[in-house]
Amino acid sequence: MGHNRTRQGDTGAVAGGPYGQETPDATLSDRSWAPDVRAAVFCALALFGLVLLIDWANATLSLVRLCLWAPLSGLLYLVLHPVRVTAGPGWLAVRGLVRRRHVCTCLLTAVRYSEGVAARLVLSDSLGNRVELDPQILLDNPLLLHRLDTGARFALDAGLLRTGHTELRRLVERADNTVAKGVFEASDLY
């Protein structure tokens, strides 16, 4: 009997151990990352095209101005480029343009959730690793959140997770409520 597969390597775990018996392609990724990268490229190219068009219409287009607009558009892309969040059995990684950071979820010692203009979730493990990410990524990808929650529960049971378990529980409950609301709306029960 084969493994049940869903889209792009999203696989379910079978019972056993803290993470179940995982399939070889058990790495999960943020499903909206590729569209977000395309949107960032589109915005940067649109800005570049727009400023060139304005310069051309005003007859001010020159090599110097072209060399000014290209890095400006590149800078916009750098600002808009999304981080890529991936998770596997026992780990969660956040990769930006330059560096990759990861934590061992079964060794988590702290989870901090800060709300504000840009909400951030900060995870720290007992090995000294630390990642910071937008919690909306986890809300949009329930399988990633499940991986994090599974590791955090293991760390809590082992006595490692000292702070932040309630914040993570609230995030999981928020995701569950969102999924339940979506199911009710899709079935016209809401």
Side-chain angles (χ1 to χ4, degrees):
M1 321 284 224
H3 297 286
N4 292 333
R5 295 185 190 270
T6 57
R7 84 192 99 108
Q8 294 182 346
D10 292 350
T11 58
V14 181
Y19 301 104
Q21 296 169 344
E22 303 286 341
T23 57
D25 59 346
T27 299
L28 303 173
S29 295
D30 176 8
R31 294 178 294 188
S32 63
W33 181 78
D36 289 347
V37 169
R38 285 191 292 272
V41 168
F42 174 77
C43 288
L45 291 176
L47 174 69
F48 187 63
L50 185 62
V51 293
L52 289 181
L53 182 66
I54 291 170
D55 266 355
W56 177 75
N58 289 327
T60 56
L61 184 60
S62 67
L63 184 59
V64 172
R65 291 179 71 88
L66 181 70
C67 291
L68 173 73
W69 298 132
L72 183 65
S73 297
L75 181 62
L76 177 63
Y77 173 75
L78 291 176
V79 169
L80 295 178
H81 182 80
V83 296
R84 184 169 195 172
V85 178
T86 54
W91 59 270
L92 184 129
V94 177
R95 178 183 294 272
L97 275 173
V98 178
R99 74 199 254 193
R100 178 184 185 268
R101 293 184 176 261
H102 73 279
V103 290
C104 295
T105 56
C106 59
L107 299 175
L108 285 177
T109 57
V111 175
R112 288 185 283 292
Y113 183 82
S114 63
E115 292 190 49
V117 175
R120 305 307 294 165
L121 185 68
V122 181
L123 309 170
S124 303
D125 68 14
S126 62
L127 301 174
N129 300 319
R130 181 178 172 272
V131 297
E132 187 174 329
L133 67 144
D134 183 357
Q136 189 63 43
I137 294 171
L138 297 174
L139 292 172
D140 293 342
N141 296 276
L143 294 176
L144 287 174
L145 182 57
H146 173 70
R147 282 279 167 86
L148 174 60
D149 185 47
T150 301
R153 287 175 190 237
F154 187 76
L156 183 66
D157 291 344
L160 294 170
L161 184 57
R162 295 182 295 269
T163 60
H165 178 67
T166 54
E167 287 85 355
L168 187 57
R169 178 67 24 225
R170 282 190 210 121
L171 189 64
V172 170
E173 288 172 359
R174 188 170 147 201
D176 290 344
N177 290 341
T178 302
V179 169
K181 183 179 177 185
V183 168
F184 286 136
E185 286 176 352
S187 60
D188 290 330
L189 295 173
Y190 187 73

